Amino acid sequence: MRSLSLRLGAFLVGLFLAMALLSLLYPVDPNAPDFLNRLKPPSPEHPLGTDPLGRDLLARLLHGAKNALLVGVIAVSVASTLGALLGLLAGYLGGLWDGALSLLMEALYALPGLLLALLFAALLGPGAVSSTLAVGLSMIPAFFRVARAGALSLKTAPFVEAALALGASPTRVLLRHLLPNLLGPLLVQASLAFAAALLAEAALSYLGLGTQPPEPSLGRMLREAQSFLPLSPYPALVPGLALSLAVLGFNLLGDGLRDLLDPRR
């Protein structure tokens, strides 16, 4: 079962990555309107149909996948780097540092991730850059908890005490001994966080706080299509199905990696 989850997740994630890469090769302009071909069904000229402005849905889907992937990569990189470093410091140093950082992160973790992303996006203003930072900052507490728990369990391990006895500095212990042993849980968390980042970016774009028009975004495509569902389902079905499969893929990949990297198995 875990092998099936891992393989299916890897396949769906690979398909999403391929879509993002194909956006660099697909020759159709995703922002070029064609008012004579609005809301057309799939055809040889437009393989997935057209949207309410006559724009090619396949081109917009590919570029929307590329933009979502870029947001996810940057957001997860920011969250994992800051969250892991703060968690390692809190767990290893303990005392006041641990108490203060844990209190701050627990306060942030008590709020839904999407609500935090909305708050940060509202403070930073609409746009792709601000939405990316908002999504990344909202996911820091999850990585903090994983890194802190690992540091607390490993800082008294024999190999850490041996390194300290040989004169290793705290920085070396954190980066050379603790962090490598936490890469597995952090990798699993990154895969799950990527799915959350895709959903958060789509939600922010749907609300007008994320990627701004005319640049394609899966969430923005859903909002633009909702008023035209009685006329044509394709403008909503295409981005909705792509987003659902991408999120499912990253979740399955995270579950499969968790089972694969679990030392108890």
Side-chain angles (χ1 to χ4, degrees), residues 201-210 217 219-220 222-224 226:
E201 189 278 333
L204 291 175
S205 296
Y206 182 89
L207 296 173
L209 295 173
S217 168
R220 188 79 186 182
L222 286 171
R223 180 176 182 177
E224 293 171 347
Q226 68 179 6

Side-chain angles (χ1 to χ4, degrees), residues 13-264:
V13 170
L15 186 62
F16 189 71
L17 293 176
M19 289 168 51
L21 292 176
L22 282 175
S23 67
L24 305 176
L25 303 175
Y26 194 63
V28 178
D29 184 357
N31 299 321
D34 184 1
F35 297 108
L36 297 179
N37 290 294
R38 299 169 65 242
L39 300 174
K40 292 294 184 180
S43 64
E45 185 180 0
H46 302 288
L48 294 180
T50 61
D51 72 353
L53 295 179
R55 297 171 294 191
D56 185 77
L57 277 177
L58 178 57
R60 292 187 65 76
L61 174 65
L62 297 179
H63 284 268
K66 179 192 68 176
N67 292 334
L69 182 65
L70 184 61
V71 170
V73 168
I74 297 175
V76 172
S77 298
V78 170
S80 60
T81 301
L82 293 179
L85 289 178
L86 292 176
L88 282 173
L89 287 173
Y92 183 75
L93 297 178
L96 182 61
W97 280 99
D98 185 22
L101 288 174
S102 297
L103 182 62
L104 174 61
M105 293 300 166
E106 289 300 324
L108 293 176
Y109 201 80
L111 298 173
L114 181 57
L115 182 60
L116 275 179
L118 284 170
L119 175 62
F120 286 129
L123 292 174
L124 297 173
V129 175
S130 60
S131 64
T132 302
L133 291 176
V135 173
L137 292 174
S138 69
M139 294 190 298
I140 288 177
F143 287 94
F144 173 87
R145 297 182 74 177
V146 172
R148 177 180 177 273
L152 285 173
S153 64
L154 292 175
K155 70 177 183 179
T156 57
F159 67 89
V160 174
E161 294 180 347
L164 291 173
L166 292 173
S169 65
T171 302
R172 182 178 178 85
V173 170
L174 288 174
L175 299 181
R176 294 294 300 273
H177 298 283
L178 293 183
L179 183 59
N181 285 281
L182 296 176
L183 288 181
L186 289 174
L187 182 61
V188 172
Q189 180 61 41
S191 180
L192 299 176
F194 214 108
L198 293 181
L199 282 176
E201 189 278 333
L204 291 175
S205 296
Y206 182 89
L207 296 173
L209 295 173
T211 303
Q212 297 297 294
E215 198 63 26
S217 168
L218 299 180
R220 188 79 186 182
M221 291 171 67
L222 286 171
R223 180 176 182 177
E224 293 171 347
Q226 68 179 6
S227 300
F228 299 90
L229 282 174
L231 300 177
S232 175
Y234 299 106
L237 183 62
V238 167
L241 185 60
L243 181 61
S244 299
L245 291 178
V247 171
L248 176 62
F250 280 106
N251 280 324
L252 289 176
L253 182 63
D255 289 340
L257 288 174
R258 180 174 54 197
D259 292 338
L260 181 67
L261 299 174
D262 189 348
R264 294 171 296 181

